[in-house]
Amino acid sequence: MNRFWSSLVQRTDPYVPGEQLNQPDLLKLNTNENPYPPSPKVAEAIKEEAENLRLYPSPTVDVLRDAIAGHFNLKRDQVFIGNGSDEVLAFSFMAFFEPGKAIRFPAITYSFYPVYAKIFDIPYELTPMQDDFSIQIEELFNTDGGVIFPNPNAPTGIYLPLDGIKQVLEQNPDQVVIVDEAYIDFAGESAASLVDAYENLLVIQTTSKSRSLAGLRVGYALGQKHLIEALIRIKDSFNSYTIDRLAIQGALASFQDQAYFEETTKKIIATREQTVEKLQSLGFAVIPSQANFVFARHAEKPAEELYLKLKENNVLVRHFNKAPIDNYLRITIGTDQEMNRFIETLSSLV
Amino acid sequence: MNRFWSSLVQRTDPYVPGEQLNQPDLLKLNTNENPYPPSPKVAEAIKEEAENLRLYPSPTVDVLRDAIAGHFNLKRDQVFIGNGSDEVLAFSFMAFFEPGKAIRFPAITYSFYPVYAKIFDIPYELTPMQDDFSIQIEELFNTDGGVIFPNPNAPTGIYLPLDGIKQVLEQNPDQVVIVDEAYIDFAGESAASLVDAYENLLVIQTTSKSRSLAGLRVGYALGQKHLIEALIRIKDSFNSYTIDRLAIQGALASFQDQAYFEETTKKIIATREQTVEKLQSLGFAVIPSQANFVFARHAEKPAEELYLKLKENNVLVRHFNKAPIDNYLRITIGTDQEMNRFIETLSSLV
């Protein structure tokens, strides 16, 4: 603490992202990056736009909003673009949640939510999970301040079908319900199809995972116009130009190459299913994941020990040192070759 | 207003950036962009990095912090990087200013400051200007909550020498004083040289103006370690990765080509001085600017009329419809050829 720090800084409890190590030959399965590069059209578009950097980008990012709206069969004014879905989440906490009114989210979830709640002074309640770590939707009914949860959930990978989401929306008619779909392209149907029907629904997605653009920082929100307008008001009170020219053109090129996106996504899903089987044969209990990662616990070996031994062997996975998930490893799905190397290393440890 | 909007959204009064029109042959002198492209090394670095987009960027941006620290003879932990200086400003309002304690800034200044103050609920007082629109530094002494001002000031372009800044720092020993140096490279000495001596000084700069990177969104703050740490805590409670891979490498390349930067900056300063003379010969009173723009008022023609007629003639400048500056035009300095075209168009109107 320091006498120059505001009370807001003093109450921060910053999020700790996964390690970003840089050693050669590291097998990096810890931050849910896509093992495949983005569509080759992305680099082409970026190279072209690199000649225009002296000029400000569009503050309204309409060209990309139109492309994303088209992809989801929505309108431009139902799309908000942010600097990664984390920025969209931060703006959403500011726009829709209120100091003094408790929001709710599942006890096991994306660990950035309590960080946002602290900085923006939003009280929150953690709702208990079912025994299999899936979300108890009834616990998210009738909230004071609103609801947020990832779907598929993080770090479990469990997908909640749209029927459950509809119930949460209907049982919170005066609060905003945020469905954080960072991993939805590896799972079932997106709640984007519910936007026109529910005035309290905000869906948040990212290009970081399924579109292989973690390094470009483009996320977006889908919702009815009145919710999008609130996000725009926050952004324009904060930073007029959050998305640079290269990010606009790069993300646009990605949305224009749907075939590539579908092909790489299918490959990752297939590798995930094979990895689950191999983990089970090594004595792991694996939570049924619909994301680009799996969450698994070994019958005998403690997760922390495995995490450290894997790291010694140049394989990085993610371990959350926090009950009740402290005996699990979160393992990003790489290519088939990468997962073979992972399984081989792991076999020697269990 | 809408029942789903938080009280924070309801009190927003968003900043309106300069128009970003796109018509062919438009002479765009309204948002203080650099007429010269960035160093050719920037595009090279970006093209190379475009191959690495599937991986997250560094959350700590150390490679760029080191380059900027080296440029200013500071240490890595005295540098914070943000998504444009607007984001750095927003984080600084959160980190150093306190609801209930009034900050002060000059009555004529960057029009984003009151927008930040509103969204973060910081009370503010506008201090009166001298008759020539320069800052009355005594009015910035002994504040409750801190001080912020641009140097050179916006939109006047007037530079405050470091002696004045030292007095403001010394007369606010327990408050943070933010010197917003977006245009400093076209002016006199930066307050960066005072960082080691003043624990309450935060200097904010941008690559948007003098480094021709408005389209890339990279700004930074310089200050003692305890201030930088506060900004990092805010960032890590908001968005772990605000600077994408391309922005990191592009900005780095710019700092590695000092000769190019000095050459283009000198050209703009020379064009500015010629433009001032020509404006004076057309009957304009021009405020002595040390920025890459001039702020000028015609003896007879109202500014709004000139702004509209210039626009009809495909020349865009900025007009702020707000007393006491509503009879001024802010004109960005372009190339010599561009300013010749501007002066020619203007001559036909006055």
Side-chain angles (χ1 to χ4, degrees):
Chain A
M1 293 304 143
N2 179 281
R3 68 196 169 99
F4 295 110
W5 290 11
S6 69
S7 53
L8 192 151
V9 177
Q10 289 176 35
R11 70 172 182 257
T12 53
D13 184 7
Y15 177 72
V16 180
E19 297 160 277
Q20 299 293 2
L21 298 182
N22 237 339
Q23 64 223 46
D25 200 36
L26 177 73
L27 179 53
K28 194 167 172 305
L29 303 177
N30 71 323
T31 53
N32 299 340
E33 287 146 335
N34 199 307
Y36 303 105
S39 158
K41 297 197 168 130
V42 171
E44 279 169 39
I46 285 168
K47 286 170 189 174
E48 200 171 308
E49 187 68 2
E51 305 305 323
N52 301 323
L53 290 176
R54 71 170 192 88
L55 296 172
Y56 279 97
S58 158
T60 52
V61 203
D62 288 339
V63 58
L64 183 55
R65 290 171 79 196
D66 285 346
I68 293 175
H71 181 74
F72 291 102
N73 207 11
L74 294 170
K75 301 199 189 76
R76 178 195 291 178
D77 63 14
Q78 296 176 309
V79 179
F80 174 82
I81 314 271
N83 184 262
S85 61
D86 283 348
E87 184 181 83
V88 181
L89 286 165
F91 287 166
S92 300
F93 269 71
M94 296 169 83
F96 306 118
F97 297 155
E98 188 74 31
K101 289 194 176 175
I103 61 168
R104 276 187 229 151
F105 46 83
I108 300 178
T109 197
Y110 184 30
S111 49
F112 217 134
Y113 299 160
V115 174
Y116 295 128
K118 271 191 186 149
I119 195 173
F120 298 120
D121 217 10
I122 315 284
Y124 63 90
E125 296 159 1
L126 303 177
T127 63
M129 314 305 294
Q130 298 188 42
D131 289 343
D132 64 359
F133 283 179
S134 62
I135 291 175
Q136 293 199 37
I137 60 166
E138 296 77 10
E139 296 282 344
L140 300 173
F141 292 175
N142 302 312
T143 66
D144 259 5
V147 173
I148 184 166
F149 59 91
N151 193 36
N153 197 12
T156 63
I158 299 174
Y159 174 72
L160 177 65
L162 293 196
D163 272 351
I165 292 177
K166 284 183 192 171
Q167 290 181 57
V168 176
L169 287 161
E170 285 158 15
Q171 299 301 322
N172 287 281
D174 297 316
Q175 283 73 35
V176 173
V177 174
I178 301 177
V179 185
D180 178 1
E181 294 191 335
Y183 301 102
I184 193 69
D185 294 319
F186 307 104
E189 198 187 346
S190 164
S193 61
L194 305 179
V195 160
D196 278 326
Y198 292 92
E199 60 180 353
N200 58 335
L201 168 63
L202 192 79
V203 177
I204 297 181
Q205 296 196 357
T206 176
T207 64
S208 295
K209 314 294 183 183
S210 57
R211 293 185 183 273
S212 309
L213 291 175
L216 199 62
R217 320 305 311 126
V218 178
Y220 48 97
L222 311 171
Q224 289 188 13
K225 186 182 171 182
H226 58 273
L227 300 186
I228 299 304
E229 191 187 330
L231 291 171
I232 291 172
R233 289 181 77 109
I234 297 285
K235 189 206 66 131
D236 285 340
S237 298
F238 192 87
N239 187 359
S240 308
Y241 307 95
T242 56
I243 315 293
D244 68 53
R245 284 185 165 269
L246 307 173
I248 294 172
Q249 293 304 321
L252 180 63
S254 170
F255 275 94
Q256 288 168 341
D257 193 353
Q258 189 63 13
Y260 181 92
F261 160 75
E262 284 172 10
E263 186 196 326
T264 48
T265 305
K266 268 186 204 154
K267 278 202 257 182
I268 290 166
I269 292 171
T271 309
R272 177 184 73 203
E273 298 311 310
Q274 290 161 20
T275 304
V276 168
E277 281 176 28
K278 288 176 188 164
L279 282 168
Q280 286 168 337
S281 73
L282 288 177
F284 280 87
V286 187
I287 292 182
S289 169
Q290 294 204 36
N292 70 335
F293 58 82
V294 292
F295 204 50
R297 173 175 58 85
H298 194 259
E300 290 158 22
K301 294 281 184 183
E304 189 170 12
E305 181 191 322
L306 286 173
Y307 160 75
L308 291 169
K309 285 205 171 154
L310 283 166
K311 196 170 169 181
E312 274 172 32
N313 283 277
N314 238 358
V315 176
L316 202 56
V317 298
R318 187 124 195 218
H319 174 243
F320 299 88
N321 203 354
K322 199 185 151 198
I325 56 171
D326 49 348
N327 209 19
Y328 283 79
L329 296 176
R330 192 192 69 185
I331 303 144
T332 302
I333 301 299
T335 62
D336 282 339
Q337 296 89 318
E338 286 173 333
M339 298 323 282
N340 287 343
R341 175 176 153 197
F342 165 69
I343 292 289
E344 210 171 287
T345 309
L346 194 60
S347 313
S348 69
L349 302 175
V350 294
Chain B
M1 293 305 143
N2 179 280
R3 67 195 168 99
F4 295 111
W5 290 12
S6 69
S7 53
L8 192 152
V9 177
Q10 289 176 35
R11 70 171 182 259
T12 53
D13 183 7
Y15 177 72
V16 180
E19 297 160 278
Q20 298 294 2
L21 299 182
N22 238 337
Q23 65 222 47
D25 200 37
L26 176 73
L27 179 53
K28 194 167 173 302
L29 304 177
N30 72 323
T31 52
N32 299 339
E33 286 146 336
N34 199 307
Y36 303 105
S39 158
K41 297 195 170 134
V42 170
E44 279 170 39
I46 285 167
K47 287 170 188 174
E48 199 170 309
E49 188 68 1
E51 306 304 322
N52 301 323
L53 290 177
R54 71 171 192 87
L55 296 173
Y56 279 97
S58 157
T60 52
V61 203
D62 288 339
V63 57
L64 182 55
R65 291 170 79 196
D66 286 345
I68 294 175
H71 182 75
F72 291 103
N73 208 12
L74 294 170
K75 300 199 190 77
R76 178 195 291 178
D77 62 14
Q78 296 176 310
V79 179
F80 175 81
I81 315 271
N83 184 261
S85 61
D86 283 347
E87 184 182 83
V88 181
L89 286 165
F91 287 165
S92 299
F93 269 71
M94 296 170 83
F96 306 119
F97 297 156
E98 187 74 30
K101 289 193 175 176
I103 62 168
R104 275 187 230 154
F105 47 83
I108 300 177
T109 196
Y110 184 30
S111 48
F112 218 135
Y113 299 160
V115 175
Y116 296 129
K118 273 193 185 147
I119 195 174
F120 298 120
D121 216 10
I122 314 284
Y124 63 90
E125 297 160 359
L126 303 177
T127 65
M129 313 306 293
Q130 297 189 40
D131 289 342
D132 65 358
F133 283 177
S134 62
I135 291 174
Q136 292 198 41
I137 60 165
E138 297 77 9
E139 296 283 343
L140 299 174
F141 292 176
N142 303 312
T143 65
D144 259 6
V147 173
I148 183 165
F149 59 91
N151 194 35
N153 197 13
T156 63
I158 299 174
Y159 173 72
L160 177 66
L162 293 195
D163 272 351
I165 292 176
K166 285 183 192 170
Q167 289 181 58
V168 176
L169 287 161
E170 284 158 15
Q171 299 301 320
N172 287 282
D174 297 316
Q175 283 74 34
V176 173
V177 173
I178 301 177
V179 184
D180 179 0
E181 294 190 335
Y183 302 103
I184 193 70
D185 294 320
F186 307 104
E189 198 187 347
S190 164
S193 62
L194 306 179
V195 160
D196 278 327
Y198 292 92
E199 59 180 353
N200 58 335
L201 169 63
L202 192 79
V203 177
I204 296 181
Q205 296 195 358
T206 176
T207 63
S208 295
K209 314 295 183 182
S210 58
R211 292 185 183 272
S212 308
L213 291 175
L216 199 62
R217 319 306 309 127
V218 179
Y220 48 95
L222 310 171
Q224 289 188 12
K225 185 182 171 182
H226 57 274
L227 300 186
I228 299 304
E229 192 187 329
L231 291 171
I232 291 172
R233 290 182 76 109
I234 298 285
K235 188 205 67 129
D236 285 340
S237 298
F238 192 88
N239 187 359
S240 307
Y241 307 94
T242 57
I243 316 295
D244 67 53
R245 284 185 166 270
L246 307 173
I248 294 172
Q249 292 305 320
L252 180 63
S254 169
F255 275 94
Q256 288 168 341
D257 193 353
Q258 188 64 13
Y260 181 93
F261 159 75
E262 284 172 11
E263 186 196 327
T264 49
T265 303
K266 268 186 205 154
K267 278 201 257 183
I268 290 166
I269 292 171
T271 308
R272 177 184 72 203
E273 297 311 310
Q274 291 161 20
T275 304
V276 168
E277 280 176 30
K278 290 176 188 165
L279 283 168
Q280 286 168 336
S281 72
L282 289 178
F284 280 87
V286 187
I287 292 182
S289 170
Q290 294 204 36
N292 70 334
F293 58 82
V294 292
F295 204 52
R297 174 175 59 84
H298 194 260
E300 290 157 23
K301 294 280 184 183
E304 189 169 11
E305 180 191 324
L306 286 174
Y307 159 75
L308 291 169
K309 287 204 169 156
L310 283 166
K311 197 170 168 182
E312 275 171 32
N313 283 276
N314 238 356
V315 176
L316 202 57
V317 299
R318 186 126 195 217
H319 174 243
F320 298 87
N321 203 355
K322 199 186 151 196
I325 57 171
D326 50 348
N327 209 19
Y328 283 79
L329 296 176
R330 193 193 68 184
I331 303 144
T332 303
I333 301 300
T335 62
D336 282 338
Q337 296 89 317
E338 286 173 334
M339 298 323 281
N340 288 343
R341 176 176 153 196
F342 165 70
I343 292 289
E344 211 171 286
T345 308
L346 195 60
S347 313
S348 69
L349 304 175
V350 295

